[in-house]
């Protein structure tokens, strides 16, 4: 009964969201996904430079990709925490920033307005407010609203990766939440262009809402309500001492010992 009501509210919510979306304020590329042998294909115009990949990478780079609602300063703070831990392991550290803020603001604004409706107030009697919000946002992910990606951000990420690959770097990408759409897309586009990337780019997928990691492994807390509510997401594989909700990279995933240790273990494995 609860989920039936939630789905009813969700479709009202999405209908209003679509009506309110204004693509004049931000250039958004609708990226089309279809699954082939466990990978997502991305249809996007990007002029890949002609580069010669080194036979063996001689340097290592750690790259962090933020999730939604992170300012550039906040994302840089997350990178600095990783850098402090791995200063003697990697040669270079980079932020691949995604600023998909306008779309997120639209979603949260519509949700905030819906909180005033009778149906939402009745749902709050069933779900705690934080859990209901997570449930609705998780449904957005499953219905494809992750496809609204800022194309200029993805292009900047690809520019960074190709420059590093050209300079004989091995890449370890730590991507959080929505940042995993970017890391998966970029990996598959590089794979389709340059061939085997298995030992050249690895992904540590933190709190990923997607059903696969392009080339790597994931870290998801059992207290992350948002990710747990997505039926197609990879299962939780780290136990939290708290009930949640816990989705933030800094406040939760990198502060809780179990998840931080898992992130470190994967970075150590991938950087060898």
């Amino acid at each position: 009964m609860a989920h039936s009501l939630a789905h009813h509210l969700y479709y009202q919510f999405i209908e209003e969201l679509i009506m309110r979306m204004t693509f004049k304020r931000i250039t958004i590329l609708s990226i089309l996904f279809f699954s082939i042998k466990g990978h997502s294909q991305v249809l996007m115009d990007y002029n890949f430079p002609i580069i010669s990949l080194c036979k063996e990478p001689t340097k290592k780079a750690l790259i962090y990709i933020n999730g939604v609602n992170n300012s550039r300063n906040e994302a840089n703070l997350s990178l600095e925490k990783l850098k402090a831990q791995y200063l003697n392991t990697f040669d270079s550290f980079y932020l691949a920033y995604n600023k998909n803020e306008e779309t997120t603001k639209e979603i949260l604004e519509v949700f905030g307005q819906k909180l005033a409706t009778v149906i939402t107030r009745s749902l709050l009697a069933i779900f705690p407010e934080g859990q209901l919000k997570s449930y609705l946002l998780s449904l957005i992910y499953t219905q494809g609203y992750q496809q609204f990606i800022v194309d200029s951000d993805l292009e900047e990420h690809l520019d960074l990766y190709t420059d590093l690959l050209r300079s004989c770097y091995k890449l370890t990408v730590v991507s959080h939440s929505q940042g995993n759409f970017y890391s998966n897309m970029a990996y598959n586009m590089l794979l389709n262009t340059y061939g085997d990337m298995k030992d050249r780019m690895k992904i540590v997928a933190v709190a990923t809402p997607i059903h696969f990691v392009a080339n790597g492994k994931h870290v998801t807390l059992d207290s992350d309500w948002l990710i747990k509510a997505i039926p197609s997401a990879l299962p939780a594989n780290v136990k939290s001492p708290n009930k949640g909700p816990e989705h933030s990279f800094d406040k939760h995933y990198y502060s809780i010992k179990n998840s931080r240790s898992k992130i470190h273990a994967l970075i150590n494995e991938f950087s060898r």
Side-chain angles (χ1 to χ4, degrees):
M1 179 64 177
H3 282 208
S4 176
L5 285 172
H7 273 87
H8 178 71
L9 172 62
Y10 166 70
Y11 288 115
Q12 285 189 337
F13 172 78
I14 289 301
E15 184 178 352
E16 183 174 341
L17 178 62
I18 292 171
M19 291 174 62
R20 290 172 56 87
M21 280 291 185
T22 55
F23 296 100
K24 294 179 182 178
R25 286 177 292 169
I26 188 169
T27 302
I28 296 178
L29 175 68
S30 181
I31 297 179
L32 305 177
F33 289 84
F34 56 93
S35 182
I36 295 182
K37 295 181 180 179
H39 294 290
S40 287
Q41 292 283 341
V42 183
L43 305 181
M44 171 185 171
D45 290 329
Y46 178 79
N47 294 321
F48 280 93
I50 299 174
I51 63 174
S52 297
L53 297 179
C54 303
K55 288 187 177 180
E56 292 290 338
T58 57
K59 292 174 283 188
K60 300 175 183 178
L62 179 65
I63 300 158
Y64 175 71
I65 310 179
N66 61 291
V68 296
N69 283 345
N70 273 176
S71 68
R72 188 175 289 272
N73 285 340
E74 290 170 332
N76 271 316
L77 285 175
S78 297
L79 176 63
E80 287 301 315
K81 289 183 178 180
L82 292 168
K83 184 176 179 180
Q85 177 69 27
Y86 287 101
L87 197 57
N88 297 322
T89 304
F90 291 90
D91 300 287
S92 301
F93 299 83
Y94 297 92
L95 172 64
Y97 186 64
N98 90 77
K99 56 182 181 294
N100 195 10
E101 296 169 350
E102 292 299 324
T103 303
T104 307
K105 286 177 182 176
E106 291 278 3
I107 291 170
L108 295 179
E109 182 181 344
V110 173
F111 177 81
Q113 292 173 354
K114 285 294 182 183
L115 278 179
T117 66
V118 174
I119 186 169
T120 310
R121 285 201 299 272
S122 67
L123 278 173
L124 288 176
I126 303 170
F127 294 108
E129 180 175 342
Q131 189 174 352
L132 174 59
K133 185 174 180 179
S134 292
Y135 183 77
L136 290 173
L137 290 178
S138 72
L139 284 170
I140 292 169
Y141 276 130
T142 62
Q143 293 299 318
Y145 281 84
Q146 73 272 16
Q147 295 175 8
F148 290 163
I149 301 298
V150 180
D151 56 342
S152 59
D153 288 346
L154 184 56
E155 288 176 3
E156 288 177 7
H157 296 186
L158 289 166
D159 286 344
L160 172 64
Y161 299 149
T162 53
D163 283 347
L164 291 172
L165 290 168
R166 179 192 287 122
S167 301
C168 293
Y169 275 93
K170 177 179 180 178
L171 314 181
T172 300
V173 179
V174 178
S175 46
H176 174 245
S177 190
Q178 184 215 17
N180 286 286
F181 295 118
Y182 285 89
S183 58
N184 274 0
M185 292 173 197
Y187 179 87
N188 285 324
M189 293 175 76
L190 291 166
L191 176 66
N192 291 338
T193 303
Y194 299 122
D196 188 13
M197 297 292 298
K198 186 174 63 175
D199 296 322
R200 297 180 187 274
M201 179 177 175
K202 294 282 192 175
I203 300 170
V204 180
V206 180
T208 179
I210 315 174
H211 66 284
F212 74 99
V213 183
N215 185 37
K217 297 178 182 178
H218 77 291
V219 180
T220 299
L221 285 165
D222 63 358
S223 57
D224 190 332
W225 292 356
L226 173 56
I227 303 304
K228 285 182 67 178
I230 302 173
S232 59
L234 292 170
N237 58 358
V238 179
K239 186 171 180 59
S240 171
N242 312 309
K243 291 183 178 180
E246 295 179 314
H247 185 68
S248 164
F249 184 84
D250 282 358
K251 293 179 181 178
H252 304 128
Y253 277 87
Y254 210 67
S255 294
I256 295 170
K257 182 179 179 181
N258 290 351
S259 49
R260 183 175 65 250
S261 297
K262 179 77 169 178
I263 292 169
H264 286 170
L266 292 180
I267 294 174
N268 292 337
E269 176 186 343
F270 295 161
S271 62
R272 291 181 191 138

